Amino acid sequence: MKTPRYLFPSDYMADPSANVFGDRLYIYPSHDRDSGEAFDDDGGHFQMKDYHVLSLTNVEQGEVTDHGVVLDVGQVPWAERQMWDNDVVEKDGKYYLVFSAKDPNGVFHLGVAVADKPEGPFIPQPHPIRGSFSIDPCVFKDDDGSIYCYFGGLWGGQLQWYTLTPAATDNEEGCVVMGPAADKKTPLFLPADAPAVPSMVVKMSDDVLQFAEAPHAVVILDETGNPMKAGNPHRFFEASWMHKYRGKYYFSYSTGDSHMLCYAIGDTPYGPFRFQGVILDPVVGWTTHHSIVEYKGEWYLFYHDCVPSNDTTWLRSLKVQKLYYNEDGTIRKVKND
Ligand code: FUB
């Protein structure tokens, strides 16, 4: 595969979460549409209403099956709008789609919908996950069967509304989230030397419907071994993804307003994670968002860009390119051309 492949030219989709179930590779994307909402820093132009599931057996060429609408916002009792990123995990033959959407008060939460098959249809729970907030869930199943959810996104993703216990920011074991800041006035731009707002990680309950604990901060250590600062262009912004390679935990993410995909490596699902580098340079379009998965012995980066929509930032197209590791386990930067 010398050049990236556009996976689904017939529709605009984004934020691909790729997972292998059985012998097929399934993609759980956001379904972009032109709602007429103007561009703003809160992502008000991303007014998605439903989810499709795509699947394939050959990443590099051949058919991509569209399984159609598998969940619509109108079916979700607690959600009103903006069906953003989602991901799916399997447990005991059931498939759990964890997704982000806004409630009627304009607050993002995470919800769960359950199916008997990876291609759905997914039946939503009546309420969001208790204590959930923000966006961009990635559900990761570890080798011992434990399931973790990584989530969070800045600005329109509202993560900056939630405050951490002071002890937590310098505690490598993570922290407890205190709940929404009362005034929701946390500035979008923190002082450069303030601690970066971290992604969150939380173990899921045995039934995969709730958090089993309070979320912890995903601490990313910079090149000096200290937690990343808010002014670092490689700091976390959104689009958490977790994968495992040779027994190590690879936390990858978007840097948002500096438009890169970066990664950091840790020894446990909770981290801390040491920053390693850039996986993908900025693409056409404001957002960048991805997943990394092994399929049939090859590793792939699934992502999106806005080339087909002539840089219309809310109309994104799914792409895939091969991903390679160096001998020391670091990832080679992926070429987007
Ligand atoms: O698709 C809406 C939002 O755009 C996602 O939640 C972010 O990660 C960004 O890709």
Side-chain angles (χ1 to χ4, degrees):
M1 190 175 193
K2 291 207 167 56
T3 55
R5 175 186 182 193
Y6 280 105
L7 278 164
F8 199 63
S10 59
D11 204 348
Y12 293 114
M13 301 210 182
D15 309 332
S17 298
N19 289 281
V20 179
F21 297 125
D23 61 358
R24 291 186 81 80
L25 187 144
Y26 292 84
I27 303 168
Y28 300 93
S30 305
H31 185 196
D32 284 356
R33 71 188 185 101
D34 202 344
S35 68
E37 291 282 333
F39 180 97
D40 65 38
D41 281 344
D42 274 345
H45 43 290
F46 294 119
Q47 292 288 339
M48 297 80 107
K49 294 198 298 193
D50 59 31
Y51 296 122
H52 284 231
V53 176
L54 308 178
S55 75
L56 47 82
T57 54
N58 187 335
V59 176
E60 300 182 27
Q61 57 191 351
E63 195 191 347
V64 174
T65 303
D66 177 8
H67 297 277
V69 175
V70 298
L71 183 66
D72 184 281
V73 70
Q75 298 169 257
V76 186
W78 62 267
E80 188 186 72
R81 60 200 150 102
Q82 289 176 289
M83 301 282 268
W84 285 13
D85 176 46
N86 73 99
D87 190 21
V88 170
V89 70
E90 182 272 343
K91 184 174 180 186
D92 298 334
K94 297 263 186 210
Y95 297 83
Y96 298 85
L97 182 143
V98 183
F99 61 99
S100 32
K102 274 186 183 166
D103 71 12
N105 298 316
V107 178
F108 269 116
H109 296 285
L110 306 183
V112 184
V114 187
D116 293 324
K117 293 182 289 186
E119 66 269 32
F122 289 89
I123 308 299
Q125 293 293 297
H127 303 287
I129 296 174
R130 273 192 301 281
S132 70
F133 55 94
S134 199
I135 60 165
D136 285 4
C138 159
V139 270
F140 165 76
K141 189 182 194 179
D142 207 350
D143 300 332
D144 67 358
S146 301
I147 294 171
Y148 300 89
C149 180
Y150 296 81
F151 67 95
L154 295 179
W155 297 15
Q158 304 175 346
L159 186 58
Q160 69 283 350
W161 289 3
Y162 300 83
T163 43
L164 306 174
T165 53
T169 48
D170 51 25
N171 173 358
E172 287 195 347
E173 289 175 4
C175 63
V176 175
V177 174
M178 297 298 286
D183 58 6
K184 297 179 182 161
K185 283 185 185 150
T186 312
L188 294 185
F189 297 98
L190 297 172
D193 61 351
V197 177
S199 172
M200 296 282 137
V201 55
V202 62
K203 197 171 192 174
M204 297 299 287
S205 58
D206 285 343
D207 61 7
V208 202
L209 299 179
Q210 300 292 340
F211 292 165
E213 59 183 355
H216 300 249
V218 173
V219 175
I220 301 175
L221 305 175
D222 65 15
E223 290 88 342
T224 66
N226 293 303
M228 271 205 188
K229 302 284 192 200
N232 189 324
H234 298 134
R235 60 95 171 86
F236 169 80
F237 187 99
E238 62 186 2
S240 298
W241 187 256
M242 171 57 60
H243 77 276
K244 216 169 168 180
Y245 180 72
R246 293 188 187 158
K248 298 278 187 193
Y249 295 83
Y250 286 59
F251 177 74
S252 48
Y253 56 96
S254 161
T255 63
D257 56 344
S258 50
H259 312 288
M260 290 171 271
L261 292 178
C262 290
Y263 76 109
I265 299 178
D267 293 323
T268 79
Y270 291 106
F273 299 91
R274 188 171 280 271
F275 178 75
Q276 300 292 323
V278 176
I279 299 173
L280 189 71
D281 284 330
V283 295
V284 171
W286 199 97
T287 68
T288 185
H289 191 129
H290 70 300
S291 57
I292 295 171
V293 71
E294 185 182 19
Y295 185 54
K296 296 185 176 174
E298 305 280 358
W299 285 88
Y300 296 98
L301 179 78
F302 289 82
Y303 59 108
H304 66 230
D305 72 19
C306 295
V307 172
S309 68
N310 294 318
D311 205 0
T312 307
T313 219
W314 54 91
L315 296 178
R316 299 162 293 179
S317 294
L318 297 179
K319 283 180 105 169
V320 63
Q321 174 62 299
K322 264 191 177 164
L323 177 137
Y324 297 96
Y325 297 88
N326 296 308
E327 257 316 300
D328 63 0
T330 52
I331 293 175
R332 289 191 214 157
K333 200 189 262 190
V334 171
K335 292 184 78 167
N336 183 31
D337 51 33

